[in-house]
């Protein structure tokens, strides 16, 4: 199967001269695709198709649009297993997690299908006699959607679903690493009977194709998920041309463990948060902040569990940790591990690679004695690497948790209600959890970061419907 763009309802070869080599990160001899990337003419064609399709799509009832989302979800459910297997082959995600992500994508579309029927406004009392006042929602028109590789299907689904059900058309640029997973989502919409041009998929690099989408005057909104560096630039560029823009960015998520926590449950919470998807979640636990009374017991159990995690082929259910996504990510993660050692942190387990000729594997890595100004305490590593900190009090724990420019997700393990409440009210994060991992979101709840982790309206749940629509106020003199 070839890698193709979806433009105006047609499957067309990307027109650029640059190519991308996608390989299985668990077995680099397994070539997934050597494919051409798009050029600017492809972006122009996609935007023009989206704009042409916009009036008729907006004129459909939200219920009719939702019905197409529902059918796309059904198509995903029917092909769940092959999609999940492909996702695992493309990004190295453990198969069970790929199945979970695929199912989540279908459920997201079902959620927004139903939201179509609830896209209401408000009736307001008018101060003028004989006047009826109410609000309505209007789609933005056509929007640009840019997504990362770590959740190659679900993040796209949680942008496309609300964008389309509210009556927008879209141009979507996915990551380079998972072209067939992205195409499977576009195929599901095609199979569901989505009219030509409503969803256009263009494969391409960020610096040219992504940037062209962000800068395109024909796209009234931009929704971006990715790194902070790119996200800040995207936000600025889109704002400068007065497009509506929303960015969901990286994290450096803390898990606080207090002396009164259930020790075994806290260890499991940390393992789940830190090492699932090889730590490549924006919500992954990368800092564990331990109160001194529990520090030693937690550390020895946590390190023992981390060492025992089986690292290897993500398609084998026996393995908990798969590879990181590609060579660039591998070099980045190993580079941070080396920096941690150089800056004087104590390595408790893992460490430098166990890269073999087969794939980009990094063992679960735990550092102790991490000072707040060390690089590994501050930068998002996006790999299976955890830094441990010791504190005396809850206040100190909250201060360390908040001592970061990031603000995506923060958790605490405690059996004390007052401590839990103090933490969730004072943690500077878009998501705060008690006795649960930092990673893990629910589609009906809003999701996104504060501080440098998110700019604009939150995603998922209902609030994102505000991003994809303009609220309008109508006054009608009827008597
Ligand atoms: P990235 O910023 O490198 O790329 C994200 C997307 O942006 C890709 O499709 C890329 O091609 C595109 N892009 C790159 N340069 C661009 C430009 N100049 N203009 C427009 N688009 C451009 O991020 P990544 O490495 O793919 O993903 C990992 C990052 O994503 C991590 O920082 C992670 O925390 C973050 N992330 C955040 C969330 C969230 O919801 N907060 C979720 C998942 C991942």
């Amino acid at each position: 199967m070839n890698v193709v763009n979806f433009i105006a309802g047609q499957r067309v070869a990307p027109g650029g001269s640059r190519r991308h080599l996608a390989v299985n990160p668990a077995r680099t001899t397994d070539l997934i695709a050597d494919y051409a990337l798009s050029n600017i003419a492809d972006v122009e064609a996609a935007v023009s198709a989206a704009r042409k399709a916009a009036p008729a799509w907006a004129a459909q009832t939200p219920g009719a649009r939702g019905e197409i989302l529902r059918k796309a979800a059904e198509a995903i459910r029917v092909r769940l297993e092959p999609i999940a297997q492909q996702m695992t082959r493309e990004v190295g995600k453990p198969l069970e997690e790929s199945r979970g992500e695929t199912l989540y994508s279908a459920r997201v579309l079902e959620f927004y299908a139903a939201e179509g029927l609830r896209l209401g406004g408000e009736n307001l009392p008018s101060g003028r006699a004989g006047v009826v006042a109410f609000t309505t929602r209007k789609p933005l028109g056509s929007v640009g959607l840019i997504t990362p590789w770590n959740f190659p299907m679900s993040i796209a689904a949680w942008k496309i679903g609300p964008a389309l059900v509210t009556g927008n058309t879209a141009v979507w640029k996915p990551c380079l690493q998972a072209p067939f997973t992205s195409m499977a989502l576009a195929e599901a919409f095609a199979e569901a009977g989505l009219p030509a041009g409503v969803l256009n998929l263009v494969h391409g690099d960020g610096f040219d194709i992504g940037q062209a989408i962000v800068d395109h005057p024909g796209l009234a909104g931009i929704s971006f998920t990715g790194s902070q560096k790119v996200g800040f630039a995207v936000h600025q560029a889109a704002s400068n041309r007065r497009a509506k823009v929303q960015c969901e960015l990286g994290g450096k998520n803390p898990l606080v463990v207090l002396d009164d926590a259930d020790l075994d449950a806290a260890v499991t919470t940390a393992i789940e948060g830190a090492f699932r998807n090889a730590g490549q979640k924006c919500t992954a636990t990368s800092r564990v902040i331990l109160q001194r009374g529990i520090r030693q017991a937690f550390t020895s159990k946590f390190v023992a569990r981390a060492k025992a995690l089986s690292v290897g082929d993500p398609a084998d259910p026996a393995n908990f940790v798969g590879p990181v996504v590609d060579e660039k990510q591998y070099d980045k993660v190993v580079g941070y591990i080396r920096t941690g050692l150089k800056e004087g942190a104590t390595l408790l387990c893992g460490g430098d690679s166990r890269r073999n000729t087969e794939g980009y594997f990094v063992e679960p890595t735990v550092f102790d004695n991490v000072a707040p100004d060390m690089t590994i305490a501050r930068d998002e590593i996006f790999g299976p690497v955890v830094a441990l900190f010791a504190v005396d009090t809850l206040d100190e724990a909250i201060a360390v948790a908040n001592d970061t420019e990031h603000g995506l997700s923060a958790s605490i393990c405690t059996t004390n209600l007052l401590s839990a409440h103090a933490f969730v009210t004072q943690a500077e994060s878009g998501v705060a959890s008690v006795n649960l991992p930092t990673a893990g979101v629910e589609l009906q709840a809003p999701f996104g970061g504060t501080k440098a982790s998110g700019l604009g309206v939150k995603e998922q749940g209902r609030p994102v419907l505000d991003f994809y629509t303009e609220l309008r106020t109508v006054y009608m003199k009827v008597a």
Side-chain angles (χ1 to χ4, degrees):
M1 193 171 39
N2 291 330
V3 173
V4 289
N5 286 339
F6 286 64
I7 298 177
Q10 304 294 313
R11 291 155 188 78
V12 284
S17 53
R18 297 183 59 250
R19 302 186 72 78
H20 182 76
L21 204 64
V23 296
N24 180 342
R27 208 168 51 251
T28 52
T29 47
D30 175 19
L31 176 70
I32 289 165
D34 174 359
Y35 66 101
L37 300 178
S38 304
N39 58 18
I40 299 299
D42 294 329
V43 176
E44 287 300 336
V47 174
S48 146
R51 286 176 62 84
K52 195 164 157 222
W57 181 244
Q60 290 208 18
T61 64
R65 294 191 296 256
E67 185 57 16
I68 291 185
L69 264 63
R70 199 194 54 71
K71 285 187 183 151
E74 200 174 293
I76 292 169
R77 281 180 183 272
V78 167
R79 280 199 292 280
L80 193 144
E81 189 56 29
I83 292 172
Q85 301 234 4
Q86 184 64 28
M87 187 185 293
T88 290
R89 189 172 161 229
E90 290 183 325
V91 298
K93 184 172 291 215
L95 187 53
E96 206 42 49
E97 293 184 57
S98 294
R99 289 185 182 122
E101 175 173 349
T102 308
L103 180 60
Y104 191 93
S105 306
R107 292 180 56 228
V108 163
L109 297 182
E110 287 156 0
F111 176 81
Y112 287 110
E115 282 306 308
L117 297 173
R118 286 187 280 265
L119 275 179
E122 225 185 338
N123 272 315
L124 297 158
S126 172
R128 293 171 283 183
V131 170
V132 172
F134 58 95
T135 61
T136 60
R137 288 172 185 272
K138 195 169 172 285
L140 302 182
S142 300
V143 295
L145 312 175
I146 299 176
T147 53
W149 47 264
N150 65 330
F151 286 93
M153 185 176 259
S154 61
I155 292 179
W158 79 53
K159 293 184 191 300
I160 294 168
L164 264 47
V165 84
T166 48
N168 299 281
T169 59
V171 175
W172 169 36
K173 192 206 88 59
C175 66
L176 293 179
Q177 291 89 339
F180 293 115
T181 301
S182 309
M183 284 162 57
L185 183 56
E187 282 293 355
F189 276 101
E191 197 175 301
L194 189 72
V198 173
L199 174 64
N200 304 275
L201 159 61
V202 283
H203 299 280
D205 250 318
F207 72 89
D208 55 354
I209 300 308
Q211 193 66 50
I213 289 171
V214 171
D215 291 340
H216 204 294
L219 299 173
I222 299 291
S223 179
F224 170 92
T225 299
S227 63
Q228 267 161 11
K229 185 164 164 255
V230 177
F232 292 164
V234 164
H235 193 266
Q236 182 142 31
S239 304
N240 282 349
R241 66 172 183 84
R242 292 197 311 274
K244 212 168 171 185
V245 57
Q246 164 194 67
C247 295
E248 285 305 335
L249 310 171
K252 188 73 190 166
N253 310 293
L255 169 70
V256 170
V257 182
L258 296 185
D259 288 348
D260 58 35
D262 175 329
L263 177 61
D264 288 330
V267 169
T268 299
T269 300
I271 292 282
E272 293 281 328
F275 299 126
R276 287 244 179 242
N277 202 22
Q280 301 168 112
K281 295 186 181 182
C282 50
T283 51
T285 302
S286 63
R287 297 180 295 143
V288 178
I289 301 161
L290 301 164
Q291 202 172 8
R292 275 186 220 280
I294 203 167
R295 180 186 182 198
Q296 211 177 350
F298 178 95
T299 303
S300 61
K301 283 200 172 201
F302 180 59
V303 170
R305 286 275 302 274
K307 276 184 181 162
L309 293 175
S310 159
V311 181
D313 180 2
D316 180 346
N319 294 323
F320 190 96
V321 183
V324 296
V325 75
D326 58 17
E327 185 163 18
K328 187 169 155 221
Q329 193 62 22
Y330 174 85
D331 289 343
K332 184 177 154 206
V333 174
V334 169
Y336 274 117
I337 293 173
R338 291 188 185 139
T339 303
L341 288 168
K342 219 182 298 159
E343 293 182 359
T346 309
L347 185 68
L348 298 182
C349 68
D352 218 338
S353 71
R354 50 163 253 172
R355 180 183 182 180
N356 45 36
T357 49
E358 289 277 284
Y360 302 117
F361 295 99
V362 179
E363 284 188 40
T365 297
V366 181
F367 279 107
D368 201 2
N369 301 315
V370 181
D373 58 345
M374 284 182 187
T375 309
I376 59 166
R378 308 214 74 81
D379 288 11
E380 181 188 47
I381 298 173
F382 224 54
V385 182
V386 175
L388 304 184
F389 300 79
V391 294
D392 289 309
T393 63
L394 171 65
D395 285 348
E396 201 188 331
I398 293 172
V400 173
N402 289 343
D403 180 20
T404 169
E405 61 169 338
H406 305 268
L408 191 49
S409 182
S411 289
I412 189 168
C413 289
T414 179
T415 49
N416 184 310
L417 181 61
L418 296 182
S419 302
H421 188 255
F423 182 80
V424 297
T425 49
Q426 293 176 52
E428 295 167 355
S429 59
V431 180
S433 309
V434 177
N435 297 323
L436 290 167
T438 55
V441 298
E442 297 192 29
L443 59 96
Q444 73 280 13
F447 169 66
T450 183
K451 294 164 84 175
S453 291
L455 301 166
V457 177
K458 302 268 183 279
E459 295 202 277
Q460 301 203 68
R462 305 196 71 212
V464 76
L465 300 169
D466 293 336
F467 175 75
Y468 290 105
T469 52
E470 291 291 351
L471 199 60
R472 302 179 67 235
T473 308
V474 180
Y475 299 106
M476 289 173 61
K477 181 135 175 72
V478 293

